Amino acid sequence: MTLPAQNLLAEEASPYLRQHSGNPVHWRAWSPAALAEARTLDRPILLSVGYAACHWCHVMAHESFEKDDVAAVMNRLFVNIKVDREERPDIDQIYMAALSSMGEQGGWPLTMFLTPDGKPFWGGTYFPREARYGRPGFIQVMEAVDKAWRDKRPSLNQSADGLITHVEARLAGAHAKGVLDRDTLATLANGIDGMIDRELGGLRGAPKFPNAPFMQTLWLSWLRDGATSHRDAVLASLERMLAGGIYDHVGGGLSRYSTDAEWLVPHFEKMLYDNAQSIRLCNWAYAASGNDLFRIRIEETIDWLLREMCVEGGAFAASLDADSDGEEGLFYTWGREEIEATFGNESALFFKYFTLSAPHGWEGRPILHQTAAQQMQSVADRDLLVPLKEKLLAARKERVRPGRDGKVLTDWNGLMIAAMAETGRFFNRADWIEAAEIAFAHIANAAQDNRLPHSMLGAKKLFPALSSDYAAMTNAAIALFEATGNSKYVDRAGQFAEQLDVWHQDDEKTGYYLTASDSTDVPIRIRGDVDEAIPSATGQIIEALVRLSSITGDLELQERAWKIAEHAAGRAAHQTYGQAGIINACVLMLEPLKLVIVDNPKNPSLVPVANRNPDPRRVDIVVAIGTEMNRPTLPGGILPPTDRPGAWLCTGQVCLPVVREVGDLERLLRRQ
């Protein structure tokens, strides 16, 4: 079959694909029909993968995809397929792994050349239209690929076969199950600790990413083993990051990463997942340190989320673009004269707390950030800063806004829902918990035939869900149960886990594939073991099953989770740093903590202690005094008495003696 000789992206559900619907390129979305067209024409595929907030994706689009002469070459030589990596992380991971296996540096836009049956034989990332930056021009690249395809097709096919086999072994293969060993976390945490930049925070060098899975490894090491240097590395990294230009000091929220080692110059896109994880890390950091900086940043980030990222129905949009009005960072940067015009006589007060910097190589306006001293002072003087920030925010509203990718991604929303439920408990913010419940309901109610969508844009829904979607929503449901006590969320979590088994479990019942069993357009069903900016699908699945089995007391589910964790650990042993999410989840599997609290719902004394001592290893179950029905069981099937307040902390199948005093529970949770 052949598709119409035209661009076919106008009706897609992805804003990123729609951004390219006006290109003269005959783009197709990734689909069985597009792959069949390549086979029918016996023509190689030019695969371009990106996302809506990606600056260099926009650059390549403006330079090449919007130009008639470039499009003419693309249309003549290739079947051109455009993929939104956020809609299809399964496709992105396969071809990014192929590029890495070629010895090339990964990134987006990802530009890959495939055989007509979808096997990669060459690729790169951004290619300029004309040769520069030491890179060949894009037309030159395409013509060279075409010549190689015509002249050396047998050898290219052989290389493609070998490459796809290598990628399949790496992303979908099985290894002998590993031993769930306490030392694995300590070894990984010590290795990460050795890479920490002690002066600037984060990992040494540039660019600098928040790397939440690594930060969680260090945090778990401190919680479990008392490694205070690992706790301090996380606290210092967060402090430096939140002072830098990577943080939006006017409107709240974190950008994707900084291009330098000082956290100063970001790529200005704001992603939902980064901010979900930063909220959670800041919550733990505030609980451990009492530093009001973390509380303030949580409040500012959630304010931004509710102000700018809510879509109709109450779920959260995927991202904000790096660019506005054709320039990266234009919306977020300031000239000194603009600040002075906005504040007049108050300008000196503003510059007491903030600094503008335009470092070498940065071509835009100066970037707003804080020195360490300014950040400390701004926390102390927060009441003075609030009206200053409101003025600047009002001035910024007059600018051309960055584009918003309004699609709702189920797994990213699951991360944010869990973060808001957890912080809502800690700060006693019922409004945050309510917002999380609304977002959860929007996504859960979008299911068809009990199956979640992976992505939604208005009425358009992309099915089927990925394993990461079911895992993230299971964890979100459990977080909402902890925050509300409503058992309907436990029921929902169980339903999501069932769907995960039906559509994603492997034949040996040792793990799960990222894509569903009825997905017909993937060259490989990968497992989803590798962390990206968020923990891997496998890591999230293990966490979800451990937490669900802890809450329900389901020993069969716990045994299944143990088996899955063992096999995941066996695979992770071959790529430890890339699979920290699995190691972190195995820590929960080894020593799952369960806290059952009986308390007075109208005047609780023990519940606030649990709320202000968050621990990612623990699930909390609150029971009202006098409850007879739906009491959770302690290990051994024992029902806790509900005649008076009490707290039972259990590790696996062993519980400590009941605690009834606030001070005793505080000491117990701090020590644990």
Side-chain angles (χ1 to χ4, degrees), residues 370-405:
Q370 292 183 314
T371 65
Q374 285 176 325
Q375 181 169 253
M376 187 180 299
Q377 192 62 44
S378 70
V379 170
D381 298 346
R382 199 212 174 182
D383 290 346
L384 285 175
L385 261 68
V386 170
L388 296 178
K389 286 190 177 185
E390 287 176 349
K391 275 191 179 181
L392 216 51
L393 189 62
R396 200 170 75 175
K397 283 182 180 177
E398 303 303 313
R399 297 177 175 177
V400 175
R401 294 191 57 79
R404 186 178 79 169
D405 186 332

Side-chain angles (χ1 to χ4, degrees), residues 48-129:
S48 176
V49 183
Y51 58 101
C54 165
H55 170 68
W56 285 103
C57 300
H58 300 329
V59 172
M60 191 166 177
H62 297 325
E63 290 181 348
S64 294
F65 303 149
E66 295 172 4
K67 300 296 188 283
D68 290 333
D69 59 334
V70 179
V73 177
M74 295 174 69
N75 296 336
R76 176 168 53 87
L77 299 180
F78 304 101
V79 171
N80 301 288
I81 299 180
K82 175 63 79 172
V83 166
D84 180 344
R85 69 174 296 259
E86 297 166 356
E87 269 198 340
R88 295 304 303 266
D90 49 349
I91 300 300
D92 176 60
Q93 287 185 37
I94 290 167
Y95 293 108
M96 191 62 77
L99 183 66
S100 174
S101 297
M102 296 174 189
E104 296 289 331
Q105 181 71 38
W108 297 277
L110 174 63
T111 308
M112 294 295 289
F113 296 92
L114 319 178
T115 64
D117 56 356
K119 296 175 182 176
F121 62 86
W122 195 75
T125 52
Y126 161 78
F127 290 102
R129 185 180 182 215

Side-chain angles (χ1 to χ4, degrees), residues 445-473:
N445 293 339
Q448 294 179 6
D449 299 322
N450 291 321
R451 299 181 73 177
L452 291 172
H454 170 63
S455 175
M456 293 183 283
L457 184 70
K460 290 183 178 289
K461 300 173 185 177
L462 181 69
F463 290 94
L466 302 169
S467 63
S468 56
D469 297 314
Y470 288 112
M473 286 295 284

Side-chain angles (χ1 to χ4, degrees), residues 543-576:
E543 178 182 355
L545 297 182
V546 171
R547 290 169 65 77
L548 182 58
S549 65
S550 291
I551 281 181
T552 60
D554 186 335
L555 294 180
E556 182 181 341
L557 180 59
Q558 187 178 59
E559 288 175 6
R560 282 172 45 210
W562 184 275
K563 182 178 180 181
I564 290 159
E566 283 184 314
H567 283 269
R571 299 193 301 272
H574 297 265
Q575 197 185 350
T576 304

Side-chain angles (χ1 to χ4, degrees), residues 397-418:
K397 283 182 180 177
E398 303 303 313
R399 297 177 175 177
V400 175
R401 294 191 57 79
R404 186 178 79 169
D405 186 332
K407 69 176 179 288
V408 172
L409 293 167
T410 295
D411 49 358
W412 295 7
N413 269 264
L415 292 174
M416 182 58 82
I417 291 164

